[in-house]
Amino acid sequence: MDKLLIAGGIPLSGEVAISGAKNAALPLLCAALLTREPVTFTNVPHLNDIGTMLKLLAQMGVKVAREASKVGAGDTVTLDASGLDNAVAPYEMVKTMRASILVLGPLVARAGEARVSLPGGCAIGARPVDQHIKGLTAMGAEVNVEQGYVHARATRLKGARLFTDMVTVTGTENLMMAACLAQGETVIENAAREPEVVDLANCLVAMGARISGAGGDVIRIQGVDALHGATHRIMPDRIETGTYLCAAAATGGDIRLTGASASCLDAVIDKLMDTGCEVVAERDAIRLKAPRRLTAVSIRTAPYPAFPTDMQAQFMAINAVAEGTAVMRETIFENRFMHAVELIRLGADIKIDGNTAFVTGREKLDGATVMATDLRASASLVIAGLVAQGETLIERIYHLDRGYEGLEQKLAILGANIRRVK
């Protein structure tokens, strides 16, 4: 199993390209199931989760054509679902990736039936699919959970008024896709407002869907009889962007990220500026220059547009070397402080009380062997390793390969001493 070896203490500097967003690409690939015509996506990141999703779609009868590009430039993927003949997502293919549930809505809407294994993914707490099931049931589907699979059937879905009990990104995306081919109007209330939801809506509209309100908490979809093909460029990855900004901040660096958008990172950029960093947003790039030492910042995670849970671990790493004490509250997932124990191995001063972490910054961290527990926890350990004196060895980095394209290559471009070892 691969590991990352980092010799810390080097400020990051230079310029690197941001990849397409994983959390936008996965639902977008599923959207191709809604039409018999080819759909082409550009700026597709080269990640393990993307490869898993493409294999899943291929075993359903979707023709997959992928044109690979260099790291950061984005692949081009064309999907042709005209030969869709197997509406099953087996456990063997989806056990490592929760986003596999996103095939459920499109399959029921287009094929009239779907059998999707209950998904796996990062072990960061309960992320139930009950909101997906509740919504499809309200739209007239017969849904049962049997032998570890969600089995849904419907001759044709019907528009309905849907209210999710909690803000759920994948739930909003699944129900929005299903509603595109439903009969009549569907209204999704308490909808997720994330930029990835907006990116999906933009693509669906380009395919002929009638959607309004994406980006707000009420989305309206007028069902149509069929969707057609389209070409869509996937948005930049805001979490990858935030991760590199945090890495530069922690190391006292000065970097410029190209192909990045600051418009969907307001909460993160505000906090980075509170640490003392100078952040400049350009038309298609972001520049960050860090001070000699950061000031600790307290955060509270919440659904978009508030501070994202996917950036909590990275900020814990920078608070570990900042001046002062930060209070960090996690309100989205109940088991998302597992990285704290590993950061403590590197010398961080962190105390956990339920869903709150108290982080007191230290002048330095020391290299050690640590273990990644989930995707964003892995990123926090990389940031800490870049700061720590001596060598840090990060085990179980397969989590990183699920969500960060060419991480060690991009960091090396910025001057980091980092390499992958067997």
Side-chain angles (χ1 to χ4, degrees):
M1 193 175 294
D2 288 0
K3 305 174 184 182
L4 278 183
L5 183 63
I6 304 172
I10 302 172
L12 298 186
S13 64
E15 183 175 289
V16 75
I18 292 300
S19 300
K22 173 184 85 92
N23 289 341
L26 293 171
L28 284 163
L29 295 176
C30 296
L33 292 167
L34 290 165
T35 178
R36 294 180 177 275
E37 298 181 13
V39 183
T40 298
F41 301 100
T42 60
N43 202 33
V44 180
H46 201 90
L47 300 167
N48 284 356
D49 274 10
I50 298 296
T52 300
M53 182 63 79
L54 292 177
K55 289 177 185 176
L56 175 61
L57 295 173
Q59 68 91 34
M60 292 177 177
V62 178
K63 293 179 182 177
V64 178
R66 185 174 190 174
E67 182 182 332
S69 185
K70 65 179 182 180
V71 170
D75 294 354
T76 297
V77 174
T78 298
L79 301 177
D80 179 353
S82 59
L84 179 68
D85 60 4
N86 179 28
V88 178
Y91 173 74
E92 294 73 24
M93 298 204 68
V94 305
K95 61 185 178 181
T96 63
M97 185 180 65
R98 300 198 66 87
S100 56
I101 195 67
L102 288 163
V103 302
L104 180 64
L107 285 175
V108 177
R110 162 115 182 269
E113 185 173 11
R115 286 189 74 241
V116 180
S117 172
L118 292 170
C122 288
I124 57 174
R127 293 189 281 186
V129 299
D130 59 327
Q131 301 304 305
H132 306 241
I133 294 172
K134 174 186 170 184
L136 290 173
T137 301
M139 296 170 72
E142 178 188 343
V143 186
N144 297 296
V145 179
E146 50 196 28
Q147 297 178 321
Y149 281 77
V150 178
H151 189 188
R153 304 183 191 86
T155 302
R156 185 180 182 185
L157 296 173
K158 292 179 171 58
R161 195 171 195 89
L162 310 177
F163 182 87
T164 58
D165 298 332
M166 55 185 287
V167 177
T168 161
V169 176
T170 55
T172 299
E173 291 167 340
N174 230 341
L175 298 174
M176 184 167 66
M177 287 190 283
C180 288
L181 297 180
Q183 184 176 17
E185 182 184 65
T186 299
V187 180
I188 305 174
E189 299 187 59
N190 199 30
R193 301 166 61 185
E194 271 72 1
E196 293 80 8
V197 173
V198 178
D199 204 32
L200 174 62
N202 290 340
C203 177
L204 292 169
V205 169
M207 294 167 64
R210 298 172 61 192
I211 302 172
S212 62
D217 59 4
V218 178
I219 301 176
R220 297 179 181 274
I221 307 102
Q222 301 288 339
V224 298
D225 291 334
L227 297 182
H228 53 71
T231 297
H232 180 79
R233 180 175 176 81
I234 292 167
M235 65 175 283
D237 195 316
R238 62 192 175 101
I239 304 303
E240 183 194 32
T241 303
T243 299
Y244 283 105
L245 292 175
C246 283
T251 60
D254 183 350
I255 66 169
R256 183 172 182 266
L257 304 176
T258 61
S261 173
S263 62
C264 55
L265 273 173
D266 287 346
V268 171
I269 289 175
D270 283 350
K271 287 297 181 181
L272 284 169
M273 294 177 72
D274 288 345
T275 68
C277 291
E278 178 185 335
V279 184
V280 178
E282 302 174 15
R283 184 173 178 273
D284 192 35
I286 302 174
R287 171 87 180 267
L288 179 141
K289 185 175 182 180
R292 188 187 64 81
R293 190 174 183 200
L294 302 173
T295 300
V297 289
S298 295
I299 65 167
R300 179 183 183 275
T301 66
Y304 188 86
F307 192 91
T309 181
D310 278 354
M311 286 300 304
Q312 175 257 111
Q314 297 90 316
F315 267 76
M316 186 175 287
I318 69 174
N319 276 328
V321 293
E323 186 172 4
T325 297
V327 179
M328 307 184 68
R329 291 187 173 88
E330 174 59 56
T331 72
I332 307 297
F333 295 118
E334 74 276 10
N335 193 25
R336 208 168 197 182
F337 282 150
M338 292 186 290
H339 48 278
V341 176
E342 300 302 308
L343 289 172
I344 290 170
R345 286 179 54 79
L346 297 171
D349 182 352
I350 303 171
K351 295 177 177 60
I352 305 295
D353 182 9
N355 70 338
T356 304
F358 301 89
V359 187
T360 300
R362 291 190 164 173
E363 288 279 357
K364 67 180 182 69
L365 300 178
D366 294 312
T369 298
V370 291
M371 182 178 67
T373 53
D374 62 68
L375 174 55
R376 305 309 173 186
S378 305
S380 76
L381 298 180
V382 170
I383 294 170
L386 291 170
V387 177
Q389 295 184 348
E391 291 189 337
T392 298
L393 184 67
I394 305 175
E395 299 182 339
R396 291 176 59 178
I397 62 166
Y398 59 83
H399 291 292
L400 282 170
D401 294 334
R402 290 183 46 234
Y404 289 95
E405 179 182 17
L407 180 77
E408 68 270 25
Q409 294 147 279
K410 290 186 178 184
L411 286 173
I413 291 171
L414 296 174
N417 187 340
I418 180 172
R419 62 189 175 92
R420 185 175 292 242
V421 296
K422 297 293 183 182

Short mmCIF file of all heavy atoms in Angstrom, two decimals, residues 243-303:
data_model
loop_
_atom_site.label_atom_id
_atom_site.label_comp_id
_atom_site.label_asym_id
_atom_site.label_seq_id
_atom_site.Cartn_x
_atom_site.Cartn_y
_atom_site.Cartn_z
N THR A 243 -7.71 23.64 0.23
CA THR A 243 -6.64 22.82 0.83
C THR A 243 -5.26 23.38 0.48
O THR A 243 -4.38 23.50 1.36
CB THR A 243 -6.76 21.37 0.34
OG1 THR A 243 -8.02 20.83 0.75
CG2 THR A 243 -5.63 20.50 0.90
N TYR A 244 -5.05 23.77 -0.78
CA TYR A 244 -3.75 24.34 -1.16
C TYR A 244 -3.54 25.71 -0.52
O TYR A 244 -2.41 26.05 -0.15
CB TYR A 244 -3.62 24.41 -2.69
CG TYR A 244 -3.30 23.07 -3.30
CD1 TYR A 244 -4.28 22.35 -3.98
CD2 TYR A 244 -2.04 22.51 -3.18
CE1 TYR A 244 -4.01 21.11 -4.53
CE2 TYR A 244 -1.75 21.27 -3.72
CZ TYR A 244 -2.74 20.57 -4.40
OH TYR A 244 -2.46 19.34 -4.93
N LEU A 245 -4.60 26.48 -0.38
CA LEU A 245 -4.48 27.77 0.31
C LEU A 245 -4.06 27.56 1.76
O LEU A 245 -3.20 28.28 2.28
CB LEU A 245 -5.80 28.54 0.23
CG LEU A 245 -6.23 29.04 -1.15
CD1 LEU A 245 -7.61 29.67 -1.08
CD2 LEU A 245 -5.22 30.03 -1.73
N CYS A 246 -4.64 26.55 2.42
CA CYS A 246 -4.27 26.24 3.80
C CYS A 246 -2.83 25.76 3.89
O CYS A 246 -2.10 26.10 4.84
CB CYS A 246 -5.22 25.19 4.37
SG CYS A 246 -6.84 25.82 4.85
N ALA A 247 -2.39 24.95 2.93
CA ALA A 247 -1.02 24.45 2.93
C ALA A 247 -0.03 25.60 2.80
O ALA A 247 1.00 25.65 3.49
CB ALA A 247 -0.83 23.44 1.80
N ALA A 248 -0.35 26.55 1.92
CA ALA A 248 0.53 27.71 1.77
C ALA A 248 0.52 28.57 3.02
O ALA A 248 1.56 29.07 3.46
CB ALA A 248 0.09 28.53 0.56
N ALA A 249 -0.67 28.74 3.62
CA ALA A 249 -0.77 29.54 4.84
C ALA A 249 0.05 28.93 5.97
O ALA A 249 0.81 29.63 6.65
CB ALA A 249 -2.24 29.65 5.26
N ALA A 250 -0.08 27.63 6.17
CA ALA A 250 0.61 26.96 7.27
C ALA A 250 2.12 27.01 7.13
O ALA A 250 2.85 27.12 8.12
CB ALA A 250 0.14 25.50 7.36
N THR A 251 2.61 26.94 5.88
CA THR A 251 4.06 26.90 5.66
C THR A 251 4.67 28.28 5.51
O THR A 251 5.89 28.40 5.31
CB THR A 251 4.39 26.08 4.39
OG1 THR A 251 3.75 26.68 3.25
CG2 THR A 251 3.91 24.64 4.52
N GLY A 252 3.85 29.33 5.59
CA GLY A 252 4.37 30.69 5.39
C GLY A 252 4.68 30.96 3.94
O GLY A 252 5.63 31.70 3.62
N GLY A 253 3.87 30.40 3.06
CA GLY A 253 4.15 30.45 1.63
C GLY A 253 3.52 31.60 0.88
O GLY A 253 2.86 32.47 1.44
N ASP A 254 3.75 31.56 -0.44
CA ASP A 254 3.24 32.58 -1.36
C ASP A 254 2.92 31.86 -2.67
O ASP A 254 3.83 31.51 -3.43
CB ASP A 254 4.29 33.67 -1.57
CG ASP A 254 3.79 34.81 -2.46
OD1 ASP A 254 2.71 34.67 -3.07
OD2 ASP A 254 4.50 35.82 -2.56
N ILE A 255 1.63 31.58 -2.93
CA ILE A 255 1.27 30.78 -4.09
C ILE A 255 0.17 31.45 -4.91
O ILE A 255 -0.56 32.31 -4.42
CB ILE A 255 0.80 29.36 -3.70
CG1 ILE A 255 -0.52 29.40 -2.92
CG2 ILE A 255 1.88 28.63 -2.93
CD1 ILE A 255 -1.15 28.03 -2.74
N ARG A 256 0.06 31.00 -6.15
CA ARG A 256 -1.01 31.43 -7.05
C ARG A 256 -1.66 30.18 -7.64
O ARG A 256 -0.98 29.32 -8.20
CB ARG A 256 -0.48 32.33 -8.16
CG ARG A 256 -1.55 32.88 -9.11
CD ARG A 256 -0.93 33.90 -10.05
NE ARG A 256 -1.92 34.50 -10.93
CZ ARG A 256 -2.19 34.04 -12.17
NH1 ARG A 256 -1.52 32.98 -12.64
NH2 ARG A 256 -3.10 34.62 -12.91
N LEU A 257 -2.97 30.06 -7.47
CA LEU A 257 -3.71 28.91 -7.97
C LEU A 257 -4.48 29.32 -9.22
O LEU A 257 -5.32 30.21 -9.16
CB LEU A 257 -4.67 28.39 -6.90
CG LEU A 257 -4.04 28.02 -5.55
CD1 LEU A 257 -5.12 27.61 -4.56
CD2 LEU A 257 -3.00 26.91 -5.72
N THR A 258 -4.19 28.67 -10.35
CA THR A 258 -4.86 29.01 -11.60
C THR A 258 -6.06 28.08 -11.83
O THR A 258 -6.13 26.99 -11.26
CB THR A 258 -3.90 28.89 -12.79
OG1 THR A 258 -3.42 27.53 -12.88
CG2 THR A 258 -2.70 29.82 -12.61
N GLY A 259 -7.00 28.53 -12.63
CA GLY A 259 -8.20 27.75 -12.88
C GLY A 259 -9.07 27.63 -11.64
O GLY A 259 -9.85 26.70 -11.50
N ALA A 260 -8.92 28.58 -10.72
CA ALA A 260 -9.64 28.55 -9.45
C ALA A 260 -10.67 29.67 -9.41
O ALA A 260 -10.52 30.69 -10.08
CB ALA A 260 -8.67 28.69 -8.29
N SER A 261 -11.71 29.47 -8.60
CA SER A 261 -12.75 30.48 -8.45
C SER A 261 -12.90 30.83 -6.97
O SER A 261 -13.10 29.95 -6.13
CB SER A 261 -14.08 29.97 -9.01
OG SER A 261 -15.13 30.87 -8.71
N ALA A 262 -12.83 32.13 -6.67
CA ALA A 262 -12.99 32.59 -5.29
C ALA A 262 -14.46 32.80 -4.92
O ALA A 262 -14.79 32.92 -3.75
CB ALA A 262 -12.22 33.89 -5.08
N SER A 263 -15.34 32.80 -5.92
CA SER A 263 -16.74 33.17 -5.68
C SER A 263 -17.48 32.20 -4.77
O SER A 263 -18.46 32.58 -4.12
CB SER A 263 -17.49 33.29 -7.01
OG SER A 263 -17.50 32.06 -7.69
N CYS A 264 -17.03 30.95 -4.72
CA CYS A 264 -17.71 29.96 -3.88
C CYS A 264 -16.89 29.59 -2.65
O CYS A 264 -17.12 28.56 -2.03
CB CYS A 264 -18.04 28.71 -4.69
SG CYS A 264 -16.62 27.96 -5.51
N LEU A 265 -15.92 30.45 -2.31
CA LEU A 265 -15.04 30.17 -1.17
C LEU A 265 -15.03 31.31 -0.16
O LEU A 265 -14.07 31.48 0.59
CB LEU A 265 -13.60 29.93 -1.66
CG LEU A 265 -13.22 28.51 -2.07
CD1 LEU A 265 -11.84 28.51 -2.69
CD2 LEU A 265 -13.28 27.55 -0.90
N ASP A 266 -16.10 32.09 -0.12
CA ASP A 266 -16.12 33.28 0.72
C ASP A 266 -15.80 32.97 2.18
O ASP A 266 -14.98 33.65 2.81
CB ASP A 266 -17.48 33.97 0.63
CG ASP A 266 -17.68 34.68 -0.70
OD1 ASP A 266 -16.68 34.87 -1.41
OD2 ASP A 266 -18.83 35.04 -1.02
N ALA A 267 -16.45 31.94 2.74
CA ALA A 267 -16.27 31.63 4.16
C ALA A 267 -14.84 31.21 4.45
O ALA A 267 -14.26 31.59 5.48
CB ALA A 267 -17.25 30.53 4.59
N VAL A 268 -14.25 30.43 3.54
CA VAL A 268 -12.87 29.96 3.73
C VAL A 268 -11.88 31.11 3.60
O VAL A 268 -10.97 31.27 4.42
CB VAL A 268 -12.55 28.84 2.71
CG1 VAL A 268 -11.06 28.50 2.73
CG2 VAL A 268 -13.38 27.60 3.01
N ILE A 269 -12.07 31.94 2.56
CA ILE A 269 -11.15 33.06 2.35
C ILE A 269 -11.24 34.07 3.49
O ILE A 269 -10.21 34.61 3.94
CB ILE A 269 -11.44 33.72 0.98
CG1 ILE A 269 -10.98 32.77 -0.15
CG2 ILE A 269 -10.72 35.06 0.86
CD1 ILE A 269 -11.33 33.25 -1.54
N ASP A 270 -12.45 34.32 3.99
CA ASP A 270 -12.59 35.23 5.14
C ASP A 270 -11.77 34.74 6.33
O ASP A 270 -11.10 35.53 7.01
CB ASP A 270 -14.07 35.35 5.54
CG ASP A 270 -14.86 36.24 4.60
OD1 ASP A 270 -14.23 36.92 3.76
OD2 ASP A 270 -16.10 36.26 4.70
N LYS A 271 -11.83 33.43 6.60
CA LYS A 271 -11.09 32.87 7.74
C LYS A 271 -9.58 32.92 7.49
O LYS A 271 -8.79 33.17 8.42
CB LYS A 271 -11.54 31.44 8.01
CG LYS A 271 -12.92 31.34 8.64
CD LYS A 271 -12.96 32.01 10.02
CE LYS A 271 -14.33 31.88 10.66
NZ LYS A 271 -14.38 32.54 11.99
N LEU A 272 -9.16 32.70 6.25
CA LEU A 272 -7.73 32.78 5.94
C LEU A 272 -7.22 34.20 6.12
O LEU A 272 -6.11 34.42 6.62
CB LEU A 272 -7.47 32.30 4.51
CG LEU A 272 -7.52 30.78 4.31
CD1 LEU A 272 -7.53 30.42 2.84
CD2 LEU A 272 -6.34 30.10 5.00
N MET A 273 -8.04 35.17 5.76
CA MET A 273 -7.64 36.56 5.96
C MET A 273 -7.59 36.89 7.46
O MET A 273 -6.74 37.66 7.90
CB MET A 273 -8.60 37.49 5.21
CG MET A 273 -8.50 37.33 3.70
SD MET A 273 -9.66 38.35 2.76
CE MET A 273 -8.95 39.98 2.99
N ASP A 274 -8.48 36.25 8.23
CA ASP A 274 -8.44 36.45 9.70
C ASP A 274 -7.16 35.89 10.31
O ASP A 274 -6.72 36.35 11.37
CB ASP A 274 -9.65 35.78 10.35
CG ASP A 274 -10.96 36.53 10.10
OD1 ASP A 274 -10.90 37.70 9.66
OD2 ASP A 274 -12.02 35.93 10.31
N THR A 275 -6.56 34.89 9.66
CA THR A 275 -5.30 34.35 10.18
C THR A 275 -4.13 35.29 9.92
O THR A 275 -3.04 35.09 10.45
CB THR A 275 -4.95 32.98 9.54
OG1 THR A 275 -4.63 33.17 8.15
CG2 THR A 275 -6.09 31.99 9.69
N GLY A 276 -4.36 36.30 9.06
CA GLY A 276 -3.29 37.24 8.71
C GLY A 276 -2.80 37.10 7.29
O GLY A 276 -1.90 37.83 6.86
N CYS A 277 -3.39 36.15 6.53
CA CYS A 277 -2.97 35.95 5.14
C CYS A 277 -3.51 37.07 4.25
O CYS A 277 -4.60 37.60 4.48
CB CYS A 277 -3.47 34.62 4.61
SG CYS A 277 -2.67 33.18 5.34
N GLU A 278 -2.75 37.39 3.23
CA GLU A 278 -3.20 38.31 2.18
C GLU A 278 -3.73 37.45 1.04
O GLU A 278 -2.99 36.63 0.47
CB GLU A 278 -2.03 39.17 1.71
CG GLU A 278 -2.39 40.12 0.57
CD GLU A 278 -1.17 40.86 0.05
OE1 GLU A 278 -0.19 41.02 0.81
OE2 GLU A 278 -1.20 41.28 -1.13
N VAL A 279 -5.00 37.61 0.69
CA VAL A 279 -5.62 36.81 -0.36
C VAL A 279 -6.17 37.75 -1.43
O VAL A 279 -6.94 38.67 -1.13
CB VAL A 279 -6.76 35.93 0.18
CG1 VAL A 279 -7.32 35.03 -0.93
CG2 VAL A 279 -6.28 35.07 1.35
N VAL A 280 -5.77 37.51 -2.67
CA VAL A 280 -6.22 38.34 -3.80
C VAL A 280 -6.93 37.44 -4.81
O VAL A 280 -6.35 36.45 -5.29
CB VAL A 280 -5.04 39.06 -4.47
CG1 VAL A 280 -5.52 39.86 -5.67
CG2 VAL A 280 -4.33 39.96 -3.46
N ALA A 281 -8.18 37.77 -5.12
CA ALA A 281 -8.94 37.01 -6.10
C ALA A 281 -8.80 37.67 -7.47
O ALA A 281 -9.08 38.86 -7.64
CB ALA A 281 -10.41 36.95 -5.70
N GLU A 282 -8.35 36.88 -8.43
CA GLU A 282 -8.26 37.35 -9.81
C GLU A 282 -9.41 36.74 -10.61
O GLU A 282 -10.23 35.99 -10.07
CB GLU A 282 -6.90 36.95 -10.40
CG GLU A 282 -5.72 37.50 -9.62
CD GLU A 282 -4.38 36.98 -10.12
OE1 GLU A 282 -4.34 36.42 -11.25
OE2 GLU A 282 -3.38 37.11 -9.39
N ARG A 283 -9.47 37.03 -11.88
CA ARG A 283 -10.60 36.56 -12.70
C ARG A 283 -10.67 35.04 -12.74
O ARG A 283 -11.74 34.45 -12.65
CB ARG A 283 -10.47 37.10 -14.13
CG ARG A 283 -11.64 36.74 -15.04
CD ARG A 283 -11.54 37.44 -16.38
NE ARG A 283 -12.61 37.06 -17.26
CZ ARG A 283 -12.58 36.00 -18.06
NH1 ARG A 283 -11.51 35.21 -18.07
NH2 ARG A 283 -13.59 35.70 -18.86
N ASP A 284 -9.53 34.38 -12.86
CA ASP A 284 -9.51 32.92 -12.97
C ASP A 284 -8.37 32.36 -12.12
O ASP A 284 -7.78 31.33 -12.46
CB ASP A 284 -9.34 32.51 -14.44
CG ASP A 284 -9.59 31.02 -14.66
OD1 ASP A 284 -10.46 30.46 -13.96
OD2 ASP A 284 -8.90 30.41 -15.50
N ALA A 285 -8.08 33.02 -11.01
CA ALA A 285 -6.96 32.57 -10.16
C ALA A 285 -7.12 33.19 -8.78
O ALA A 285 -7.89 34.13 -8.57
CB ALA A 285 -5.62 32.97 -10.78
N ILE A 286 -6.37 32.62 -7.81
CA ILE A 286 -6.34 33.14 -6.45
C ILE A 286 -4.89 33.17 -5.99
O ILE A 286 -4.15 32.20 -6.17
CB ILE A 286 -7.16 32.27 -5.47
CG1 ILE A 286 -8.61 32.16 -5.93
CG2 ILE A 286 -7.10 32.83 -4.06
CD1 ILE A 286 -9.44 31.21 -5.09
N ARG A 287 -4.49 34.28 -5.37
CA ARG A 287 -3.13 34.43 -4.85
C ARG A 287 -3.20 34.53 -3.34
O ARG A 287 -4.04 35.25 -2.80
CB ARG A 287 -2.50 35.70 -5.45
CG ARG A 287 -1.15 36.11 -4.85
CD ARG A 287 0.00 35.44 -5.53
NE ARG A 287 1.27 35.87 -4.93
CZ ARG A 287 2.00 36.88 -5.39
NH1 ARG A 287 1.57 37.60 -6.42
NH2 ARG A 287 3.16 37.18 -4.82
N LEU A 288 -2.32 33.81 -2.64
CA LEU A 288 -2.24 33.90 -1.18
C LEU A 288 -0.79 34.11 -0.76
O LEU A 288 0.11 33.41 -1.22
CB LEU A 288 -2.79 32.65 -0.50
CG LEU A 288 -2.72 32.65 1.04
CD1 LEU A 288 -3.98 32.03 1.64
CD2 LEU A 288 -1.47 31.92 1.56
N LYS A 289 -0.61 35.07 0.15
CA LYS A 289 0.69 35.30 0.76
C LYS A 289 0.52 35.25 2.26
O LYS A 289 -0.32 35.97 2.83
CB LYS A 289 1.25 36.66 0.33
CG LYS A 289 2.67 36.91 0.83
CD LYS A 289 3.23 38.22 0.28
CE LYS A 289 4.66 38.43 0.75
NZ LYS A 289 5.22 39.71 0.21
N ALA A 290 1.26 34.39 2.93
CA ALA A 290 1.10 34.16 4.37
C ALA A 290 2.02 35.07 5.18
O ALA A 290 3.10 35.46 4.72
CB ALA A 290 1.39 32.71 4.70
N PRO A 291 1.61 35.39 6.42
CA PRO A 291 2.48 36.16 7.31
C PRO A 291 3.55 35.26 7.92
O PRO A 291 3.55 34.03 7.69
CB PRO A 291 1.50 36.65 8.39
CG PRO A 291 0.47 35.56 8.46
CD PRO A 291 0.31 35.07 7.05
N ARG A 292 4.41 35.84 8.75
CA ARG A 292 5.46 35.03 9.39
C ARG A 292 4.84 33.97 10.28
O ARG A 292 5.29 32.83 10.31
CB ARG A 292 6.39 35.93 10.21
CG ARG A 292 7.62 35.20 10.75
CD ARG A 292 8.42 36.09 11.69
NE ARG A 292 7.66 36.43 12.88
CZ ARG A 292 7.53 35.61 13.93
NH1 ARG A 292 8.08 34.41 13.92
NH2 ARG A 292 6.83 35.98 14.99
N ARG A 293 3.79 34.34 11.04
CA ARG A 293 3.06 33.35 11.82
C ARG A 293 1.57 33.67 11.78
O ARG A 293 1.17 34.83 11.86
CB ARG A 293 3.54 33.30 13.28
CG ARG A 293 2.94 32.09 14.00
CD ARG A 293 3.47 31.89 15.40
NE ARG A 293 2.88 30.67 15.96
CZ ARG A 293 2.82 30.40 17.26
NH1 ARG A 293 3.33 31.24 18.14
NH2 ARG A 293 2.27 29.27 17.68
N LEU A 294 0.77 32.64 11.68
CA LEU A 294 -0.67 32.79 11.58
C LEU A 294 -1.29 33.11 12.94
O LEU A 294 -0.74 32.79 13.98
CB LEU A 294 -1.30 31.51 11.04
CG LEU A 294 -0.80 31.02 9.67
CD1 LEU A 294 -1.39 29.65 9.36
CD2 LEU A 294 -1.16 32.01 8.58
N THR A 295 -2.48 33.71 12.90
CA THR A 295 -3.30 33.91 14.09
C THR A 295 -4.39 32.85 14.10
O THR A 295 -5.03 32.59 13.08
CB THR A 295 -3.95 35.31 14.07
OG1 THR A 295 -2.92 36.30 14.05
CG2 THR A 295 -4.83 35.52 15.29
N ALA A 296 -4.59 32.20 15.24
CA ALA A 296 -5.61 31.14 15.34
C ALA A 296 -7.00 31.70 15.04
O ALA A 296 -7.33 32.83 15.39
CB ALA A 296 -5.58 30.52 16.73
N VAL A 297 -7.83 30.87 14.36
CA VAL A 297 -9.19 31.29 14.03
C VAL A 297 -10.18 30.20 14.44
O VAL A 297 -9.97 29.02 14.18
CB VAL A 297 -9.36 31.59 12.52
CG1 VAL A 297 -8.64 32.86 12.14
CG2 VAL A 297 -8.89 30.42 11.66
N SER A 298 -11.25 30.60 15.09
CA SER A 298 -12.31 29.66 15.47
C SER A 298 -13.28 29.50 14.31
O SER A 298 -13.52 30.45 13.55
CB SER A 298 -13.06 30.17 16.71
OG SER A 298 -12.19 30.21 17.82
N ILE A 299 -13.83 28.31 14.17
CA ILE A 299 -14.78 28.05 13.09
C ILE A 299 -15.95 27.21 13.60
O ILE A 299 -15.85 26.51 14.62
CB ILE A 299 -14.12 27.32 11.89
CG1 ILE A 299 -13.65 25.92 12.30
CG2 ILE A 299 -12.98 28.13 11.31
CD1 ILE A 299 -13.29 25.03 11.13
N ARG A 300 -17.04 27.29 12.87
CA ARG A 300 -18.20 26.44 13.10
C ARG A 300 -18.69 25.98 11.74
O ARG A 300 -19.05 26.79 10.90
CB ARG A 300 -19.31 27.21 13.83
CG ARG A 300 -20.58 26.40 14.09
CD ARG A 300 -21.64 27.26 14.75
NE ARG A 300 -22.84 26.50 15.07
CZ ARG A 300 -23.84 26.27 14.21
NH1 ARG A 300 -23.76 26.75 12.97
NH2 ARG A 300 -24.89 25.59 14.58
N THR A 301 -18.69 24.68 11.49
CA THR A 301 -19.13 24.17 10.19
C THR A 301 -20.65 24.22 10.09
O THR A 301 -21.37 24.07 11.08
CB THR A 301 -18.66 22.73 9.97
OG1 THR A 301 -19.32 21.86 10.91
CG2 THR A 301 -17.15 22.59 10.14
N ALA A 302 -21.12 24.44 8.88
CA ALA A 302 -22.56 24.48 8.61
C ALA A 302 -22.74 24.37 7.10
O ALA A 302 -21.79 24.57 6.33
CB ALA A 302 -23.18 25.78 9.14
N PRO A 303 -23.96 24.06 6.64
CA PRO A 303 -24.20 23.96 5.19
C PRO A 303 -23.86 25.26 4.47
O PRO A 303 -23.91 26.35 5.05
CB PRO A 303 -25.70 23.64 5.10
CG PRO A 303 -26.02 22.97 6.40
CD PRO A 303 -25.16 23.66 7.42
#
